[in-house]
Amino acid sequence: MKQLTKAEEEIMQILWQLKEANVATIIGEMPEPKPAYNTVSTIVRILENKEFVDHRKKGKGYIYFPVVAKDTYSDQSMTKLINNYFNGSFKSMVSFFMKKNEMDTKDLEAILKEINKDDK
């Protein structure tokens, strides 16, 4: 799966949230300053070429919708992060974030409790 640029990911986040939208609606969901219509339209076409988005015709325009699920992209991105920066070790990644965010063992225990709760 291809990686997304920051701008592409921003648009995908909006499409994942809305499920489908035209370019004008996507722009309406973006923070100020709003990008130009042509800019967003171009990025959406790039997302189509990368096979993250597809469209259907509606009147004179198009409605765009994601074809890659957010969970699928998130899983792939996390795997790449772990492999590229932590030599494939989830333990190393957790250790890094614990040190960087000054977490203590109580925080880790709370996280483990949350993970175990989700498994049940």
Side-chain angles (χ1 to χ4, degrees), residues 1-21 26 29 47 51-53 64-77:
M1 181 180 301
K2 296 178 181 175
Q3 282 297 113
L4 298 178
T5 66
K6 184 177 177 183
E8 292 166 352
E9 193 167 326
E10 182 179 7
I11 289 172
M12 284 304 301
Q13 292 291 346
I14 292 167
L15 285 172
W16 283 321
Q17 178 188 350
L18 298 177
K19 310 286 190 255
E20 62 178 30
I26 293 169
E29 294 292 316
L47 288 167
E51 299 180 345
F52 276 81
V53 170
Y64 299 95
F65 53 91
V67 292
V68 172
K70 184 176 184 177
D71 288 347
T72 302
Y73 183 72
S74 297
D75 289 348
Q76 182 263 339
S77 294

Side-chain angles (χ1 to χ4, degrees), residues 75-91:
D75 289 348
Q76 182 263 339
S77 294
M78 284 304 297
T79 299
K80 187 171 182 174
L81 173 77
I82 292 167
N83 289 337
N84 289 346
Y85 296 97
F86 302 100
N87 295 321
S89 170
F90 183 74
K91 182 180 171 185

Side-chain angles (χ1 to χ4, degrees), residues 2 11 21 27 30 35 42 53 63 69 74-76 88 90 97 103 111 116:
K2 296 178 181 175
I11 289 172
I27 293 168
M30 298 177 91
T42 298
V53 170
I63 301 294
S74 297
D75 289 348
Q76 182 263 339
F90 183 74
F97 283 109
M103 293 174 63
I111 291 168
N116 289 331

Side-chain angles (χ1 to χ4, degrees), residues 25-42:
T25 302
I26 293 169
I27 293 168
E29 294 292 316
M30 298 177 91
E32 295 290 341
K34 306 275 188 201
Y37 184 95
N38 287 343
T39 301
V40 174
S41 181
T42 298

